[in-house]
Amino acid sequence: MTERNPDPASNGGPNAGPEAAQRRAAARVRVSAGPLRWVLAALLAAVALALYAPALEGEYLYDDLFLVEEAPAAQSVGDAFARFGEPTFQFGVGQGLEVRGVWRPLMSIALGTGNSLGGGEPFAHHAISLLLHVLCAAALARFVALLLRTRLGLGAGRAEVVAAAAGLLFVVHPASVEAVAWASAVNDPLWTLFGLGALTAYERARVLGKLPVTALVLTALALLSKESAIVLPALFLVLDLSAGRLRGPGGFARAGLVAAAPLAAWYGARAWVFGSATAGLLDVAGDFNLPGIGRELSFRLELAGGFVRNALWPGDPRFFRPVHPEPLAGAVSAGAAWITAFVGATALLAWRGRRSAAACLAAFFLVVLPFVVAPDRAGLYPLSDRYLYGALGPLAAGLALLGARVASGNVFAVLAVSAAVPMFAVARGEIPHFSSNTAFQDQAVEDAPDSPSVRWAAGNAHLERYLATEDIGSLRAAYVHHLISLRLGQTYGDEDSLHDESVPFVERIPRLVASIDGADPLALEADSTVLVTIEDRYQATLGQIHCELLRVSLVPAGERDYVTVLGRIEQAQRVWSRTAGYARRDELSHLRAQVLQRLGRAGEARAEIGRALESGGGATSLEFVELAKVQLQEGDPEAARSSLERAAELDPDDATLQLRLSILADATGRSDVALEAAQRAYELTGGQDANVLVHLSVLDLARGRSSEALSWVDRALELDPGLGNAFKQRALTYTLLGDADRALSDWQSAARALPEDFVSHYNLAALLLEQEPPESSSAEVREGWRQSFVEIAVRAYVYAPPQGSEQLQLQTQIERYIGGNPDEIYDLTSILRSQGRGVLAQYWMRRLIDVAGVWPEPKRRALLPLVHTQVGYADGQAGRPDDARAEFEAALALDPEHFPAIIELGMLLYEAGEAAEAVPYLEKALQKLPEAGVEPGMLGAVETTLRERLRAARAGAVPERSSGEDPDGG
């Protein structure tokens, strides 16, 4: 159909005067398409659900971790209303959030609703975002249908079809994904919904000649959702202008005053919230370090053109489009081309009488204009797709009006559906990137690999994943991202090889570290196209240190190089101590204190924390928690409790901290403090933390309230049926009550759930010992009981504290029940050695030598040489060389080819000054070395040592006595 009724603003046709057009428009305002509109709305909802169904399973990511999980106003609907008059980003002091001039109380209500409905899980938030997206599409369809009826004179049915086609383009546009699939971006669909409703209500009221009260109320709600709604009054005037409603004296002024009323009220409310005449509107969230006014202008040209390109050609959606202090080649010219074409097309439409379509295209640009004019309020990534969300509605409306005017409604609908298919595919391909924080950050790295903030954020995401899963690949990925973030912004000359994802982590990490430590970054040429902030350097530095600390903790205890990590921290402290006003460098003090603690230098750790407490910016709970750790290490639990009390005063809403304080207060005899802190932890967790319930049981049992103690622990097991500490506490309660059968059952459950817990296994062993079958029992029954007891007793023995009588008691009982069985003793020595209990292992190896005579000869020759060698090594370390020599010779008597005994005896003789006797053993050890099973990393060092000592022994040289090497791990 060719449109017969011209746009009333075009003055075309004999009946197109303003008054006549107004009457015709008013007559069409209340025209309804009946059920068709609902059918089309249902189809839009179905398409949206088909597109975004995978997003419903997405996790929290990026800003969600602050705005959804941590923001006090987002914890529930009640919290949101209680904090209605507080800035949205005022929480999280020290995280950089408190400086943001953002007040979005309706966003907090939406997030609080999601947390209330979903119990803190992401699903409810994603469902709310998807519902808002569907409602936005329906609101857009209502707005477009109204314009098509009142401005172009389309029939109700055809207007609904064209409007639904516009809604379809909005639903599937790839730029919508970021706003819909990202929980904390709910403010975009929220303000857009109110904004589209306000435009529809304003147009309806103006056509009917009424005061647009509903539109003004919806505008106020949009402003309370997001600051982007500040453009709505301007959009009202654009609608009036395109319809020719601003004619006559004072027409523009009157319309402007009405439209600006909610804006003025909102500004006044903000001024009260922020306590400032600027109402927080001048606060910025990003500093792009642009080199001059010319770059400031060209950057805005890039932004404007970029928004147009991403809206009209959405084939390359991205989470992060980095800002470049100096533009990349062709970026400015491309932006200029896009914006010139868009502005030219809008002007041409207005000149040719398509003023309604031109008005909608102008509205698109007005919505993104605040991000172009003041990009530093949008953060470090002002060209993000979510900032397009509110502008996509006017753009789709403009295309619908143009399509219905130039061709026909049916043609436009067909074209819209055709365009929607590839857009759906592109959008669907982006949704998996929102499935988890690591997937999100990995895609961000792919989109912006040379953005330092993207790199360290990806590093932090992988670090969190490692802490949750202990996946070593995540730790390596985190380390690489942090190191690359540190390198970005300087020209190193070998970017490609060090960033090459195909190169294994183990090769890239040392080369990256060397590239940072091996050159002075200040002496390198700066890359002026990379934006690097102080915060980027700081976060990457912290990330690097955290990764190194975790990597060191993974190696065997004797090989942990905390000294290197300490040096890294002290190097960073020197750098950040020269950064004026950077109070967050105290986090480095916390790290240094932790490393000093692990090195056993408690006094220095205490001094480090003291310096952090005395530094500017005020103490935080973290400093006092670290101080408490040091005080415990020094054996001063009273002082540690006082430090935790101070920490709890500074952070009273930290349930974990309250629980920690309660446990320590109970241990130091302050039951009043323990009970108060435990009750506070219970309130903060809503009675849903099983560990808090177990501790309440501990406190009640200590007060003689066994019934209450059992009640708490039963509730804990309802929440977490496999919680070992709960079984342990209930078993202890039943033990004190004399209920042996129930105690035995719970001690067994505790031992299974806590395989390394001494108390559980010790008590279980004690109960089993009391239930030893009588001598009259069958041999099968007694043997089954014996094996069960020995297994439990051995576990208790392995984890028994070195001091105290329990270890000796268990040793006596174990020896009684394994008797002279060399197989069981051999297994026990293996367990003890694997657990690092060398002293205990030595006792049982000597016991094994005494009873090994019952073994067949082949078995003795196969197993005893290693036992003799290990005992000999221990004798040598204890300064008993004659005993050590006897053990090594006993090993070689059983197996003359036993390499560990050969090398140990050769080394022992050499160090004892018996060089001539040492030579044949050293020669044989060198000959057997390639097949000896020495670890590849140690093979070269062992060979070098053997050759040097053999050379010296042949020359008759006598070296200083040394402890030697343990070829099989000692």
Side-chain angles (χ1 to χ4, degrees):
M1 165 187 142
T2 301
E3 181 53 55
R4 301 286 184 184
N5 298 296
D7 192 331
S10 68
N11 293 321
N15 300 314
E19 294 79 9
Q22 188 79 1
R23 287 193 298 272
R24 290 195 302 272
R28 296 188 182 103
V29 165
R30 296 183 177 89
V31 174
S32 173
L36 178 62
R37 61 185 292 188
W38 298 107
V39 172
L40 293 173
L43 288 175
L44 290 178
V47 173
L49 180 60
L51 174 58
Y52 284 102
L56 295 173
E57 300 177 0
E59 300 175 4
Y60 290 132
L61 48 92
Y62 204 61
D63 285 349
D64 297 345
L65 307 179
F66 297 115
L67 294 176
V68 181
E69 292 192 296
E70 296 184 9
Q75 299 312 298
S76 68
V77 177
D79 289 326
F81 278 105
R83 299 175 181 269
F84 195 92
E86 297 180 5
T88 304
F89 283 87
Q90 189 164 332
F91 71 99
V93 175
Q95 300 175 27
L97 299 178
E98 70 281 358
V99 301
R100 301 278 293 277
V102 176
W103 180 49
R104 300 169 184 169
L106 291 192
M107 168 191 165
S108 295
I109 291 174
L111 295 176
T113 301
N115 276 332
S116 293
L117 293 177
E121 294 301 316
F123 178 85
H125 293 282
H126 293 309
I128 289 172
S129 294
L130 177 53
L131 176 61
L132 288 173
H133 187 52
V134 171
L135 292 176
C136 284
L140 172 62
R142 301 274 41 80
F143 176 60
V144 174
L146 179 63
L147 292 181
L148 290 170
R149 295 198 312 269
T150 59
R151 303 233 177 160
L152 298 190
L154 261 65
R158 189 155 297 174
E160 292 295 339
V161 171
V162 175
L168 177 64
L169 292 177
F170 175 83
V171 164
V172 302
H173 198 290
S176 297
V177 173
E178 195 169 338
V180 180
W182 191 347
S184 58
V186 70
N187 49 56
D188 288 295
L190 193 61
W191 92 260
T192 300
L193 175 61
F194 291 129
L196 289 170
L199 290 173
T200 305
Y202 186 85
E203 177 69 12
R204 180 186 295 271
R206 293 290 280 166
V207 168
L208 295 175
K210 297 180 179 181
L211 189 66
V213 176
T214 302
L216 300 183
V217 172
L218 290 172
T219 299
L221 295 176
L223 287 165
L224 294 176
S225 302
K226 190 175 182 179
E227 296 79 3
S228 297
I230 198 172
V231 301
L232 284 174
L235 301 189
F236 295 159
L237 295 179
V238 168
L239 283 176
D240 284 339
L241 185 64
S242 66
R245 292 194 289 255
L246 298 181
R247 299 178 182 181
F252 183 88
R254 286 194 300 272
L257 287 173
V258 171
L263 198 61
W266 172 74
Y267 181 85
R270 283 182 63 94
W272 174 75
V273 168
F274 287 98
S276 167
T278 63
L281 294 174
L282 299 183
D283 294 341
V284 300
D287 180 6
F288 305 127
N289 195 28
L290 303 181
I293 187 64
R295 178 54 184 147
E296 292 279 358
L297 295 175
S298 68
F299 174 52
R300 282 156 175 79
L301 196 60
E302 283 185 56
L303 287 177
F307 280 125
V308 173
R309 179 195 64 232
N310 298 336
L312 294 178
W313 195 258
D316 185 27
R318 294 190 184 186
F319 311 137
F320 301 104
R321 296 183 175 90
V323 173
H324 301 284
E326 291 187 6
L328 300 180
V332 177
S333 58
W338 277 102
I339 195 62
T340 299
F342 184 82
V343 172
T346 304
L348 179 62
L349 288 174
W351 178 65
R352 294 295 302 272
R354 277 61 170 176
R355 294 184 185 175
S356 295
C360 289
L361 297 185
F364 162 82
F365 191 72
L366 284 173
V367 174
V368 299
L369 187 61
F371 300 105
V372 176
V373 174
D376 49 4
R377 276 191 53 82
L380 293 176
Y381 302 94
L383 196 54
S384 294
D385 283 336
R386 69 182 183 277
Y387 299 139
L388 268 176
Y389 188 87
L392 294 177
L395 178 63
L399 295 176
L401 288 166
L402 181 62
R405 180 71 184 277
V406 173
S408 75
N410 292 338
V411 172
F412 171 76
V414 171
L415 291 175
V417 172
S418 300
V421 173
M423 292 168 67
F424 184 101
V426 172
R428 188 61 178 268
E430 293 302 304
I431 291 175
H433 301 144
F434 291 84
S435 61
S436 68
N437 200 33
T438 49
F440 181 79
Q441 295 294 352
D442 285 344
Q443 183 60 32
V445 167
E446 186 174 327
D447 290 341
D450 293 329
S451 176
S453 60
V454 164
R455 284 289 185 172
W456 65 253
N460 286 349
H462 280 280
L463 199 54
E464 289 293 331
R465 183 178 181 187
Y466 168 73
L467 293 173
T469 65
E470 297 186 354
D471 174 20
I472 192 63
S474 295
L475 179 59
R476 289 171 173 172
Y479 201 10
V480 168
H481 286 310
H482 282 120
L483 292 175
I484 291 177
S485 182
L486 281 172
R487 299 180 72 255
L488 287 168
Q490 303 289 340
T491 303
Y492 283 77
D494 54 1
E495 292 295 305
D496 292 339
S497 62
L498 292 179
H499 290 195
D500 186 358
E501 299 292 339
S502 65
V503 176
F505 284 116
V506 292
E507 296 182 19
R508 296 169 69 199
I509 287 176
R511 293 167 62 198
L512 281 164
V513 173
S515 72
I516 294 170
D517 294 344
D520 181 3
L522 298 179
L524 299 173
E525 180 182 354
D527 186 347
S528 58
T529 65
V530 175
L531 173 63
V532 183
T533 68
I534 292 177
E535 180 69 4
D536 292 332
R537 290 298 191 209
Y538 183 74
Q539 289 287 352
T541 299
L542 278 182
Q544 178 193 12
I545 292 170
H546 276 297
C547 289
E548 291 185 348
L549 192 55
L550 289 169
R551 290 178 68 237
V552 167
S553 67
L554 292 176
V555 302
E559 302 173 21
R560 294 174 184 171
D561 186 9
Y562 285 117
V563 174
T564 298
V565 180
L566 182 62
R568 186 85 63 199
I569 295 171
E570 292 172 344
Q571 178 189 46
Q573 284 182 308
R574 287 191 293 272
V575 171
W576 293 103
S577 65
R578 299 193 296 266
T579 307
Y582 213 78
R584 292 177 61 197
R585 61 178 175 267
D586 287 347
E587 290 172 276
L588 293 168
S589 292
H590 303 151
L591 286 171
R592 184 170 186 267
Q594 290 179 35
V595 175
L596 288 170
Q597 282 179 261
R598 298 182 190 191
L599 288 170
R601 294 155 62 177
E604 293 177 68
R606 178 196 285 272
E608 182 67 38
I609 296 171
R611 283 190 290 272
L613 290 172
E614 294 170 3
S615 65
T620 67
S621 62
L622 183 59
E623 279 104 351
F624 286 102
V625 170
E626 291 298 330
L627 180 58
K629 291 179 182 177
V630 175
Q631 290 164 335
L632 283 174
Q633 187 179 23
E634 292 179 328
D636 192 350
E638 294 286 347
R641 189 199 68 242
S642 297
S643 295
L644 284 184
E645 288 185 77
R646 182 69 180 121
E649 290 175 6
L650 292 171
D651 194 357
D653 294 332
D654 187 334
T656 302
L657 178 55
Q658 295 288 347
L659 178 59
R660 186 181 299 176
L661 170 59
S662 182
I663 293 171
L664 186 56
D666 182 48
T668 54
R670 287 298 304 272
S671 57
D672 55 335
V673 176
L675 187 58
E676 181 181 356
Q679 290 173 340
R680 177 62 179 157
Y682 178 80
E683 293 170 2
L684 290 170
T685 59
Q688 298 301 304
D689 188 312
N691 290 308
V692 173
L693 298 177
V694 170
H695 183 62
L696 285 167
S697 175
V698 171
L699 296 179
D700 270 338
L701 186 61
R703 296 157 64 196
R705 301 171 51 167
S706 54
S707 297
E708 289 83 352
L710 287 173
S711 177
W712 288 121
V713 80
D714 287 341
R715 286 177 58 186
L717 286 169
E718 289 177 5
L719 292 172
D720 187 352
L723 185 60
N725 282 329
F727 284 117
K728 180 178 174 181
Q729 174 61 16
R730 194 165 69 178
L732 180 60
T733 305
Y734 282 134
T735 300
L736 294 177
L737 291 173
D739 191 335
D741 291 338
R742 290 184 177 180
L744 180 62
S745 175
D746 280 331
W747 282 126
Q748 289 172 331
S749 297
R752 284 194 296 269
L754 303 169
E756 297 181 3
D757 182 66
F758 163 71
V759 173
S760 297
H761 289 87
Y762 181 77
N763 281 278
L764 179 56
L767 280 176
L768 285 174
L769 191 60
E770 293 176 2
Q771 298 184 5
E772 181 179 1
E775 292 290 341
S776 59
S777 301
S778 67
E780 183 179 354
V781 169
R782 289 189 57 80
E783 177 60 20
W785 174 89
R786 187 193 71 83
Q787 290 180 1
S788 297
F789 172 75
V790 168
E791 179 184 354
I792 296 299
V794 164
R795 278 200 170 275
Y797 182 60
V798 168
Y799 296 108
Q803 297 80 21
S805 61
E806 297 91 350
Q807 190 178 90
L808 183 58
Q809 293 172 1
L810 287 164
Q811 184 169 290
T812 301
Q813 293 296 339
I814 292 171
E815 191 163 6
R816 172 186 171 192
Y817 285 104
I818 65 175
N821 189 325
D823 291 316
E824 291 189 345
I825 295 176
Y826 183 82
D827 291 340
L828 177 57
T829 62
S830 300
I831 293 172
L832 291 169
R833 293 189 69 244
S834 68
Q835 294 295 329
R837 303 302 297 268
V839 175
L840 297 181
Q842 289 296 317
Y843 171 84
W844 288 102
M845 282 191 283
R846 295 181 191 278
R847 185 79 180 90
L848 176 61
I849 292 172
D850 293 339
V851 301
V854 301
W855 267 342
E857 186 67 16
K859 195 168 188 177
R860 291 179 63 246
R861 292 185 177 278
L863 298 181
L864 273 187
L866 182 58
V867 174
H868 280 295
T869 302
Q870 290 164 346
V871 172
Y873 178 79
D875 286 337
Q877 294 292 90
R880 298 191 295 271
D882 293 339
D883 292 341
R885 179 171 182 172
E887 294 294 342
F888 295 144
E889 289 174 344
L892 292 175
L894 290 166
D895 181 4
E897 303 299 317
H898 187 63
F899 175 79
I902 294 171
I903 190 173
E904 285 295 344
L905 183 55
M907 294 291 189
L908 179 69
L909 293 171
Y910 169 76
E911 291 173 0
E914 301 178 32
E917 291 187 58
V919 168
Y921 293 105
L922 294 175
E923 288 177 338
K924 192 169 185 179
L926 189 61
Q927 177 186 357
K928 296 181 67 63
L929 181 61
E931 303 89 32
V934 178
E935 292 183 10
M938 294 291 297
L939 189 61
V942 173
E943 181 178 1
T944 299
T945 301
L946 278 172
R947 291 189 182 279
E948 289 176 351
R949 296 193 176 185
L950 180 58
R951 188 182 308 112
R954 285 170 174 167
V958 180
E960 294 183 3
R961 187 174 181 83
S962 64
S963 61
E965 299 287 341
D966 176 16
D968 62 343

